[in-house]
């Protein structure tokens, strides 16, 4: 069965500190991995996907197939990064259509 | 352009009642998804439409839940004999048809359902 695990419910850091939001997954095959973000009073939106290898808003995430991880990192957190972050995967079993989400991590960046 | 819209934004009902939740996808998007998000959880897949047909309904929890998309655009999620455990935010998303593989899903604001 496919599963996404985000071990931290809440991550609290000060502005300018490095951030790492952890994500581990379980899937037999080659999934696509994503990070979604939900800012306060806004809808869920895609932040980045592993296949595009982009840096979005200073965030990066590297897929580590050996450790089955897809941690989200940013070297210097900003207050506007405060939001709920969800790791998700999509697999060939569903034609890469449906998403399986983790429970989410709330990132709180204090001034 | 307009994003995915969902109505109502909030719905309060009594146990045992029937409810309908509506989703208007982005114009031209052929794929439509329903997810359910319970408190403290991530979104959980319910059903996925490609055009008018349900391509995958493996996430529907039981036969009280069903969804339709008769003209390949608007979709309605229907819940019969609601139970308190059905209380959650119901999210709708849509995506364009494209090359094989993942197409970005755009989410609506959700409908918060409360069953008393």
């Amino acid at each position: 069965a496919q599963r996404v695990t985000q071990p931290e419910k809440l991550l609290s850091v000060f502005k300018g500190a490095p951030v790492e939001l952890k994500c581990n997954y379980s899937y037999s095959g080659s999934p696509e991995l994503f990070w979604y973000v939900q800012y306060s009073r806004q809808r869920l939106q895609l932040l980045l996907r592993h296949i595009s290898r982009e840096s979005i808003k200073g965030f990066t995430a590297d897929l580590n197939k050996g450790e089955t991880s897809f941690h989200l990192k940013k070297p210097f957190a900003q207050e506007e990064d405060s939001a709920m972050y969800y790791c998700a995967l999509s697999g060939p079993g569903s034609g890469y259509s449906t998403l399986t989400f983790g429970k989410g991590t709330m990132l709180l960046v204090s001034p | 352009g307009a994003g995915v819209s969902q109505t109502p934004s909030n719905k309060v009902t009594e146990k045992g009642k029937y409810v309908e939740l509506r989703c208007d996808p982005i114009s031209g998007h052929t794929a439509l998804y329903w997810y359910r998000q319970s408190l403290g959880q991530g979104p959980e897949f319910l059903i996925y439409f490609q055009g008018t047909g349900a391509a995958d309904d493996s996430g529907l929890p039981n036969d009280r839940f069903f969804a339709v998309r008769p003209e390949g655009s608007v979709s309605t999620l229907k819940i019969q004999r609601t139970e308190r455990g059905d209380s959650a935010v119901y999210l709708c998303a849509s995506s364009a048809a494209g090359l094989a593989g993942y197409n970005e899903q755009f989410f609506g604001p959700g409908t918060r359902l409360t069953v008393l």
Side-chain angles (χ1 to χ4, degrees):
Chain A
Q2 58 198 55
R3 188 169 61 246
V4 177
T5 303
Q6 294 179 252
E8 303 140 328
K9 283 187 178 179
L10 172 67
L11 185 61
S12 186
V13 302
F14 288 105
K15 177 182 171 182
V19 167
E20 183 179 52
L21 299 170
K22 291 186 172 22
C23 172
N24 288 88
Y25 67 91
S26 172
Y27 190 86
S28 11
S30 297
E32 282 206 50
L33 274 295
F34 309 86
W35 278 97
Y36 274 78
V37 61
Q38 188 165 25
Y39 301 101
S40 179
R41 289 184 293 279
Q42 294 188 26
R43 57 188 70 189
L44 195 61
Q45 59 186 285
L46 179 65
L47 179 63
L48 55 81
R49 53 192 292 194
H50 90 267
I51 203 167
S52 56
R53 295 179 172 270
E54 293 174 305
S55 173
I56 306 292
K57 299 184 179 183
F59 284 97
T60 58
D62 290 319
L63 180 62
N64 185 322
K65 292 185 179 180
E67 296 182 358
T68 59
S69 68
F70 188 57
H71 303 326
L72 183 68
K73 300 177 184 179
K74 184 169 182 176
F76 307 104
Q78 303 299 314
E79 289 178 69
E80 55 266 29
D81 296 329
S82 295
M84 195 73 184
Y85 290 80
Y86 295 95
C87 183
L89 72 77
S90 184
S94 69
Y96 295 102
S97 56
T98 60
L99 292 166
T100 298
F101 287 88
K103 292 185 178 183
T105 298
M106 171 68 77
L107 175 63
L108 196 58
V109 183
S110 305
Chain B
V4 177
S5 61
Q6 294 185 244
T7 54
S9 55
N10 279 283
K11 175 71 178 176
V12 180
T13 191
E14 294 179 342
K15 179 173 177 286
K17 299 289 189 185
Y18 168 82
V19 295
E20 290 189 353
L21 312 179
R22 177 188 167 107
C23 173
D24 276 273
I26 292 172
S27 178
H29 278 189
T30 58
L32 185 147
Y33 312 80
W34 284 99
Y35 293 85
R36 176 170 70 173
Q37 187 170 19
S38 302
L39 194 62
Q41 305 293 316
E44 177 189 21
F45 167 72
L46 295 177
I47 185 170
Y48 151 53
F49 287 89
Q50 187 62 256
T52 60
D56 184 350
D57 64 358
S58 61
L60 294 177
N62 51 59
D63 61 7
R64 296 187 297 106
F65 289 75
F66 64 104
V68 295
R69 196 185 184 200
E71 297 177 357
S73 178
V74 169
S75 177
T76 305
L77 178 66
K78 308 183 182 196
I79 310 174
Q80 297 178 320
R81 304 183 304 279
T82 52
E83 299 178 356
R84 292 193 181 90
D86 298 336
S87 296
V89 175
Y90 288 81
L91 295 169
C92 177
S94 70
S95 69
L99 299 175
Y102 180 77
N103 293 287
E104 182 178 350
Q105 296 181 26
F106 295 86
F107 282 82
T111 293
R112 182 175 298 277
L113 175 67
T114 303
V115 182
L116 301 176

